[in-house]
Amino acid sequence: MVKNLNPTPLVSVLMPTYNGGDYVTTAVHSILTQTFADFELIIIDDSSSDGTIDVLKEIVDPRIQLIFKPVNSGLIDTLNLGLKVAKGKYILRMDQDDISIQNRLEVQLDFMESNPDVVVCGAGYQIIDSNSFFRPSCQHGQLLLDLIDFCPFAHPTIIMRADFLKNHNISYNSSYINAEDYKIWTDISHVGRMANLPNILLKYRIHESQMSSRGAIQQMVMSKKISLEHLNFLSGNNEYVDYYLNGSIKNVSDLKKYLDVELSIKDYFTKNSINADSIIFNNRSRKYFQNVLSNDNFSLMLFIDRIPLLLQIFNTIGGLFIIKYFIKSIIFWKPVSK
């Protein structure tokens, strides 16, 4: 049992709760039993109505700071309140229904202390009661490109530098409800370096009542907005961003516009001393082109029309994919309008 609470803990663990009584005890204990002990656990309850507050009051540990909000004001307000009251050098996120691996804090803290240029770091996770794992991209350059297409961080695996957020006035943005985490990572990526650890440091729970299952439509709309904003930033507001983002590659002319955006992004990488290895871009382009062609209206006429484009991107998508595309063009022949 920990006897005293350090008034200036190295890590502030931020856990928002709302109607999480079924799982919150397990989540809290997975933090309290960490191999690293110099932390405060800030639990902010957003006016739960299911007895979560009573459950939390039964957990006694001097490192816990309980904050009960009398009126429900949403996750973003709760998270930003946590950022304001946190005393630690680092802020580590934790959700009310997940389980942190016992050495999670120790592993992530060691990494952050050894890599002072990194300002935010996530990790891999395992889905509870399954053999499914999330193993993220790890390097800053790859993460910058990933952020164009999706959110490459698992929010409850994150550790961040508190001073960096304060110095750059970065917090969770209330204009991006249900995608506030995606938004804060792009904000951070524009002024600081990011990383993920390949280690599985969290067990992630999926269930119907969890916070992230709500507002799927709004989340999709917000995610597209964030993706476009991020791409505009990296490319210097290149006029052809739609060709890089929305599956608009139909011919060689379109491909040139796509490559123009890619060149703008590579220039940004070079100017900011970010690893611009061609493999990073080729991997993204291969997935993108294959996705565009896989959603095509297959026909032999269309395949013939696509030959100049296929020759241009042959080295990127590979001969095997083109053979499969040709076979589908014969099997799934459909009349198309040009």
Side-chain angles (χ1 to χ4, degrees):
M1 175 66 71
V2 176
K3 298 296 183 182
N4 298 299
L5 174 62
N6 184 347
T8 56
L10 189 58
V11 180
S12 294
V13 181
L14 174 55
M15 178 189 292
T17 62
Y18 177 72
N19 290 348
D22 290 341
Y23 306 111
V24 70
T25 298
T26 302
V28 171
H29 280 296
S30 76
I31 295 296
L32 298 180
T33 56
Q34 288 287 307
T35 55
F36 177 83
D38 184 15
F39 63 84
E40 62 175 347
L41 173 54
I42 302 170
I43 304 175
I44 306 177
D45 187 81
D46 195 18
S47 192
S48 292
S49 58
D50 71 337
T52 297
I53 294 175
D54 294 329
V55 172
L56 291 172
K57 287 180 178 178
E58 292 179 358
I59 305 174
V60 179
D61 190 292
R63 295 169 295 182
I64 295 177
Q65 179 183 357
L66 289 179
I67 300 175
F68 302 118
K69 294 163 59 179
V71 178
N72 180 277
S73 58
L75 177 61
I76 294 176
D77 179 75
T78 301
L79 291 171
N80 284 331
L81 174 59
L83 295 183
K84 290 179 182 178
V85 302
K87 305 183 189 73
K89 176 181 178 182
Y90 298 100
I91 295 172
L92 183 136
R93 277 284 288 111
M94 179 64 187
D95 279 349
Q96 64 181 4
D97 42 15
D98 298 328
I99 302 171
S100 284
I101 303 301
Q102 195 170 22
N103 67 340
R104 175 194 168 185
L105 270 71
E106 181 179 355
V107 170
Q108 288 190 285
L109 182 61
D110 285 348
F111 177 82
M112 295 297 280
E113 291 283 272
S114 300
N115 295 273
D117 60 324
V118 174
V119 297
V120 59
C121 175
Y125 65 80
Q126 177 184 4
I127 296 177
I128 293 175
D129 296 327
S130 83
N131 292 320
S132 298
F133 296 88
F134 170 73
R135 296 187 185 276
S137 302
C138 296
Q139 301 302 318
H140 179 65
Q142 181 65 63
L143 291 169
L144 278 173
L145 287 189
D146 286 350
L147 281 166
I148 296 173
D149 300 310
F150 61 94
C151 181
F153 295 97
H155 197 180
T157 71
I158 288 295
I159 187 170
M160 302 178 280
R161 295 185 189 275
D163 284 349
F164 177 87
L165 299 181
K166 293 176 183 177
N167 293 340
H168 291 84
N169 195 29
I170 293 176
S171 61
Y172 293 92
N173 194 321
S174 59
S175 297
Y176 296 82
I177 296 176
N178 294 313
E180 66 282 341
D181 56 330
Y182 192 177
K183 175 59 177 173
I184 198 172
W185 311 144
T186 58
D187 287 346
I188 290 173
S189 76
H190 298 167
V191 286
R193 297 187 72 85
M194 311 168 293
N196 269 319
L197 296 178
N199 312 54
I200 302 299
L201 297 180
L202 185 90
K203 294 183 178 180
Y204 180 77
R205 192 183 306 276
I206 296 178
H207 56 90
E208 292 182 358
S209 61
Q210 67 189 146
M211 292 180 184
S212 59
S213 65
R214 304 173 193 157
I217 295 177
Q218 186 175 27
Q219 183 181 61
M220 182 174 64
V221 172
M222 289 293 102
S223 294
K224 288 183 177 180
K225 180 181 179 181
I226 295 165
S227 176
L228 181 58
E229 291 172 348
H230 179 60
L231 178 56
N232 276 321
F233 175 85
L234 293 181
S235 68
N237 293 305
N238 188 292
E239 61 180 316
Y240 300 128
V241 290
D242 284 347
Y243 293 88
Y244 199 81
L245 192 62
N246 296 324
S248 304
I249 308 299
K250 300 300 181 184
N251 51 50
V252 175
S253 176
D254 292 343
L255 177 62
K256 290 179 179 178
K257 295 172 182 177
Y258 175 96
L259 295 175
D260 189 73
V261 180
E262 184 176 274
L263 181 60
S264 297
I265 299 173
K266 286 181 177 178
D267 286 344
Y268 173 83
F269 274 44
T270 300
K271 290 176 182 177
N272 291 276
S273 302
I274 300 168
N275 180 8
D277 191 325
S278 60
I279 294 176
I280 295 177
F281 290 91
N282 287 342
N283 287 340
R284 195 264 178 194
S285 296
R286 181 175 62 256
K287 292 177 183 178
Y288 178 83
F289 294 148
Q290 289 181 352
N291 182 61
V292 170
L293 293 172
S294 295
N295 292 324
D296 223 336
N297 292 313
F298 296 103
S299 79
L300 190 56
M301 292 295 292
L302 188 57
F303 177 84
I304 293 172
D305 190 49
R306 294 278 190 272
I307 287 177
L309 173 64
L310 295 172
L311 291 175
Q312 289 282 336
I313 62 177
F314 179 88
N315 291 333
T316 301
I317 63 175
L320 181 59
F321 181 87
I322 292 179
I323 292 173
K324 291 180 179 179
Y325 179 66
F326 174 69
I327 293 173
K328 287 181 180 180
S329 298
I330 297 175
I331 296 175
F332 301 107
W333 182 292
K334 295 179 182 177
V336 295
S337 56
K338 291 187 180 181

